[in-house]
């Protein structure tokens, strides 16, 4: 019997433990991937802590997967994948194909969305079986450790910007320059936006400029963030990557007329925004989900073209517990990535 290793959690909030399992065979319209790298995302806590309905234990988390196709079901031939192809799988781990959003082509909001680590075993493992429609091809210019985070953090920020109302030359602000935001600033600058980075503390100004920001707003300076943005002309778009509802709400008054707040940072607390702040200037507030497998592929290709890479710290799969804890503590700079090599 051939086996492989996974880092699993057996109880809600419990520790990761390494166990061996029998190697699975891909089912209809599935492929088996030899995992080379998998990012550790804060959203993994939803599954490790059973914070979403339908989570069953043991849980193998991980939805920033990069590796190579190892085996294919015969029904995947029309998709053009071959053994050895480099592929990534992200938060979008496949869709049902028959619900109303899917029939409209809006696969990422499928109510039956398949998410690695939730609906099937994720990438904290040496192998993973995934639906073929979840696969995105990795460009040669990206390493596996780069490609993994692109499948969630990367696509969410890239897609959030390119599907916004902003156009090249517009003032665009990115709230937070952590795991999501450090990519968001790079994408905003590469897309031709006049880019503002918003973070806590004056010491982050130089780093923001290194990422490509044209302006830096220190949210602890005493000047309200909205006022600081208006002094720059008002933001056409604020991409809110920080998972803090109070910080997100503080940007609304910095939006230009018809400006748009795009929320991608998760916080269960409600946003403190009044209708008055929105009505007179026609401002928009919306949430943005991740992106389909094609969106992930677009993100990686754009990143390769513009030499955009996540800042990562790689650790072996054996150290999954330590990597997860470092992510939780906020000490990661900026994405922890598990590797199997």
């Amino acid at each position: 019997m051939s086996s492989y290793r996974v880092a699993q959690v057996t109880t809600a909030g419990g520790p990761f433990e390494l166990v061996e399992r029998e190697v699975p065979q891909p089912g209809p319209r599935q492929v088996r991937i030899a995992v080379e790298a998998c990012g550790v995302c804060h959203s993994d806590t939803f599954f490790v802590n059973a914070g979403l309905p339908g989570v069953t234990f043991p849980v193998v988390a991980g939805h920033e997967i990069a590796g190579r196709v190892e085996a294919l079901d015969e029904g995947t031939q029309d998709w053009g994948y071959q053994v050895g192809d480099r592929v990534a799988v992200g938060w979008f781990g496949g869709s049902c194909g028959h619900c109303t959003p899917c029939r409209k082509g809006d696969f990422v909001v499928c109510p039956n969305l398949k998410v690695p680590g939730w609906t099937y075993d994720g990438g904290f493992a040496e192998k993973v079986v995934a639906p073929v429609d979840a696969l995105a091809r990795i460009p040669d210019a990206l390493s596996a450790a780069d490609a993994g985070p692109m499948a969630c953090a990367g696509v969410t920020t890239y897609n959030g910007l390119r599907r916004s109302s902003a156009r090249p030359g517009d003032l665009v602000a990115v709230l937070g320059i952590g795991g999501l935001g450090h990519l968001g600033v790079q994408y905003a600058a590469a897309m031709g936006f006049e880019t503002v980075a918003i973070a806590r503390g004056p010491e982050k100004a130089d780093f923001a400029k290194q990422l490509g920001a044209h302006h830096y707003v220190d949210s602890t300076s005493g000047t309200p963030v909205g006022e600081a943005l208006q002094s720059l002309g008002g933001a056409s778009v604020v991409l809110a990557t920080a998972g803090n509802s109070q910080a997100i709400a503080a940007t609304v008054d910095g939006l230009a007329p018809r400006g748009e707040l795009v929320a991608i940072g998760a916080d269960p607390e409600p946003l403190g925004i009044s209708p008055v702040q929105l009505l007179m200037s026609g401002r928009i507030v919306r949430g943005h989900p991740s992106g389909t497998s094609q969106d992930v592929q677009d993100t990686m290709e754009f990143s390769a073209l513009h030499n955009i890479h996540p800042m990562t710290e790689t650790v072996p799969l054996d150290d999954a517990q330590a990597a997860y804890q470092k992510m939780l503590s906020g000490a990661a700079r900026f994405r922890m990535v598990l590797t199997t090599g």
Side-chain angles (χ1 to χ4, degrees), residues 31-114:
V31 304
R32 188 175 71 233
I33 300 167
V35 178
E36 297 176 343
C38 185
V40 182
C41 179
H42 197 275
S43 297
D44 289 317
T45 60
F46 295 149
F47 316 131
V48 171
N49 298 327
L52 290 173
V55 173
T56 58
F57 291 91
V59 162
V60 180
H63 56 270
E64 293 185 344
I65 304 164
R68 295 181 183 271
V69 174
E70 187 175 71
L72 307 92
D73 171 69
E74 292 181 358
T76 64
Q77 291 176 349
D78 291 344
W79 291 77
Y81 292 102
Q82 298 179 354
V83 170
D85 286 350
R86 302 179 69 226
V87 294
V89 178
W91 179 268
F92 178 86
S95 58
C96 72
H98 58 73
C99 68
T100 298
C102 282
R103 292 175 67 189
K104 290 181 177 180
D106 199 0
F107 303 105
V108 76
V109 292
C110 169
N112 306 302
L113 188 68
K114 302 166 187 174

Side-chain angles (χ1 to χ4, degrees), residues 44-315:
D44 289 317
T45 60
F46 295 149
F47 316 131
V48 171
N49 298 327
L52 290 173
V55 173
T56 58
F57 291 91
V59 162
V60 180
H63 56 270
E64 293 185 344
I65 304 164
R68 295 181 183 271
V69 174
E70 187 175 71
L72 307 92
D73 171 69
E74 292 181 358
T76 64
Q77 291 176 349
D78 291 344
W79 291 77
Y81 292 102
Q82 298 179 354
V83 170
D85 286 350
R86 302 179 69 226
V87 294
V89 178
W91 179 268
F92 178 86
S95 58
C96 72
H98 58 73
C99 68
T100 298
C102 282
R103 292 175 67 189
K104 290 181 177 180
D106 199 0
F107 303 105
V108 76
V109 292
C110 169
N112 306 302
L113 188 68
K114 302 166 187 174
V115 180
W118 186 6
T119 49
Y120 58 87
D121 287 345
F124 290 8
E126 293 174 333
K127 302 181 189 296
V128 65
V129 173
V132 67
D133 62 316
L135 304 185
R137 294 185 183 274
I138 301 174
D140 292 339
L142 294 183
S143 68
D146 284 344
M150 294 292 183
C152 181
V155 69
T156 303
T157 51
Y158 174 76
N159 239 18
L161 288 168
R162 74 164 174 171
R163 298 192 184 282
S164 75
S165 57
R167 295 295 177 264
D170 286 352
L171 189 77
V172 170
V174 179
L175 172 65
I177 52 175
L180 292 169
H182 86 286
L183 287 168
V185 172
Q186 293 179 76
Y187 288 136
M191 290 177 182
F193 303 137
E194 184 180 353
T195 304
V196 185
I198 307 170
R200 295 176 58 84
E203 69 280 358
K204 296 179 181 177
D206 287 343
F207 176 59
K209 297 296 178 63
Q210 291 170 18
L211 293 173
H214 303 96
H215 311 279
Y216 178 71
V217 171
D218 173 11
S219 62
T220 67
S221 68
T223 301
V225 169
E227 185 177 321
L229 290 176
Q230 288 298 342
S231 72
L232 295 170
S236 295
V237 168
V238 171
L239 182 72
T241 73
N244 183 306
S245 292
Q246 184 175 355
I248 294 172
T251 67
V252 171
D253 286 337
L255 290 171
R258 302 291 181 186
E260 183 180 28
L261 170 61
V262 182
I264 62 175
D267 186 352
E269 295 300 315
L271 291 173
I273 298 172
S274 75
V276 173
Q277 290 176 279
L278 306 177
L279 290 172
M280 298 301 292
S281 296
R283 293 165 173 156
I284 297 167
V285 179
R286 68 176 178 87
H288 172 74
S290 179
T292 66
S293 54
Q294 183 61 55
D295 293 325
V296 172
Q297 190 162 316
D298 292 348
T299 300
M300 292 190 293
E301 290 173 351
F302 184 90
S303 300
L305 184 65
H306 292 275
N307 197 29
I308 294 173
H309 300 269
M311 297 180 67
T312 63
E313 181 178 343
T314 59
V315 296

